[in-house]
Amino acid sequence: MCGRFVSARKRLELLEEFAVQRDRVDASPDPEPGPDYNVAPTKRVFAVLERPARDDEPQARELRVLRWGLVPFWARRPRAAAS
């Protein structure tokens, strides 16, 4: 199972659709990903994360750019998980 999917939504659409409070895409060292109709493991994608409430911060949703894929606990390096 290769875990491929389509990522065609724009950043502003995701911010609005998921009522994101924190936009962390600009803080990422990676460039903003464009539309991709065949996202494979190790590619960079938009992700909406819901952060739990902490003592000084309320619960919030944030948009980030993350690397898609699963890195199993036994992998010594993240790159080894995709091979």
Side-chain angles (χ1 to χ4, degrees), residues 7-74:
S7 177
R9 302 291 292 271
K10 294 179 182 169
R11 177 180 175 185
L12 294 177
E13 292 174 331
L14 293 170
L15 291 170
E16 185 178 305
E17 178 74 25
F18 291 100
V20 173
Q21 290 95 2
R22 296 184 202 141
D23 184 1
R24 304 276 192 204
V25 174
D26 288 334
S28 173
D30 299 315
E32 188 173 316
D36 191 342
Y37 298 93
N38 190 23
V39 177
T42 73
K43 287 192 176 179
R44 301 282 179 184
V45 295
F46 288 122
V48 177
L49 307 174
E50 189 162 281
R51 297 292 185 182
R54 292 190 176 179
D55 297 333
D56 56 340
E57 294 182 3
Q59 179 176 332
R61 288 185 184 158
E62 55 184 56
L63 184 68
R64 290 184 172 220
V65 176
L66 302 177
R67 183 177 158 261
W68 171 249
L70 172 68
V71 179
F73 71 92
W74 46 263

